Amino acid sequence: MKYSIMIVDDHPIVCEGLKTVLDGYADLEVVAVAANGEEALEQISAMDKAPDLVIVDLLMPKMDGGSLIDQILDKTNIVILSTEIDVQIAKSVIQKGIRGYLLKDEDPFKIADSVEQVLKDPDYIAISHDVLDTAMQSTGPSSDVKLTDQQRSLLRMIAAGQTNAEIADQLHVTSRTVKNYLSAIYQLLNVHNRAQAIAVAAKNDLI
């Protein structure tokens, strides 16, 4: 099975370079490239089915990435790929259901790995560390939900896309212990999975 991808970016070099990298993955295929939001909407409307994932730049002529995202968010998975960090969008990534916010200066193969992981794991959120740091610095403590410093740290780890095994290695505990830690957090936040936990944490300024 191949996952279909659209790239929306007004820089041809970025589009071609990223397309080459993504097409090099056995389970990924770039089926469309658009230079702006208007062009992307026209292409999607002409398709029998929307692509499995759309990679969107934020700053584009005619229709910017933010406007495009609002119109296609309920049709497909969205990963933002930009040179800019928009604080409000960064804070709302999880709440809106956007699957990722990556920066163009990252290694293209790391970007492709993140895109592949988003498509394979419905709980995975791909967020660059700088984007996550910006979102966290712009928020204050919550008075509604109380978590320990360790629990907040765990939420930041899963928001950064770390797996249970990676977290376990960092904390020098077993993966089962990490799973128990996360289960306790899920119970406190009244959620059932990583994506929901990150959404609630973002909404309550916990990360």
Side-chain angles (χ1 to χ4, degrees):
M1 173 185 175
K2 282 202 173 189
Y3 296 101
S4 58
I5 299 170
M6 169 183 272
I7 301 173
V8 187
D9 195 302
D10 62 326
H11 293 90
I13 294 177
V14 172
C15 289
E16 287 305 314
L18 186 57
K19 181 180 186 300
T20 298
V21 173
L22 291 169
D23 282 342
Y25 285 61
D27 54 354
L28 303 180
E29 181 182 13
V30 176
V31 297
V33 175
N36 56 67
E38 286 186 1
E39 187 178 322
L41 286 177
E42 289 175 1
Q43 292 191 33
I44 292 174
S45 64
M47 296 177 179
D48 293 332
K49 176 181 175 295
D52 296 312
L53 183 143
V54 179
I55 299 172
V56 180
D57 188 14
L58 290 179
L59 302 179
M60 297 181 292
K62 295 187 178 180
M63 180 187 291
D64 62 24
S67 299
L68 172 63
I69 288 170
D70 288 340
Q71 296 196 51
I72 65 173
L73 190 55
D74 61 341
K75 298 181 177 69
T76 183
N77 295 295
I78 305 291
V79 169
I80 295 168
L81 181 62
S82 181
T83 57
E84 305 291 326
I85 301 178
D86 184 298
V87 176
Q88 293 305 314
I89 292 180
K91 288 171 65 176
S92 67
V93 163
I94 314 299
Q95 296 171 32
K96 280 189 170 185
I98 299 170
R99 298 296 307 283
Y101 194 146
L102 303 172
L103 298 177
K104 289 184 179 179
D105 60 3
E106 293 191 47
D107 183 282
F109 290 96
K110 183 178 179 182
I111 293 171
D113 286 344
S114 295
V115 167
E116 184 181 46
Q117 189 67 25
V118 163
L119 287 164
K120 288 185 172 182
D121 184 351
D123 289 336
Y124 185 81
I125 307 294
I127 302 182
S128 295
H129 290 296
D130 288 346
V131 175
L132 185 61
D133 287 344
T134 299
M136 289 192 298
Q137 289 169 9
S138 67
T139 61
S142 169
S143 59
D144 299 320
V145 180
K146 302 296 183 183
L147 296 177
T148 66
D149 289 341
Q150 183 196 53
Q151 289 169 332
R152 285 172 178 253
S153 179
L154 278 169
L155 281 170
R156 294 188 186 102
M157 290 179 186
I158 65 172
Q162 294 188 39
T163 64
N164 285 8
E166 290 170 338
I167 295 172
D169 185 61
Q170 187 171 336
L171 298 180
H172 306 292
V173 297
T174 67
S175 293
R176 180 177 291 275
T177 299
V178 172
K179 187 175 181 180
N180 290 338
Y181 287 161
L182 293 177
S183 293
I185 293 174
Y186 296 166
Q187 186 172 3
L188 285 169
L189 299 180
N190 193 29
V191 299
H192 302 287
N193 56 48
R194 284 179 169 230
Q196 292 173 351
I198 298 170
V200 172
K203 182 179 181 180
N204 288 278
D205 295 338
L206 296 171
I207 60 174

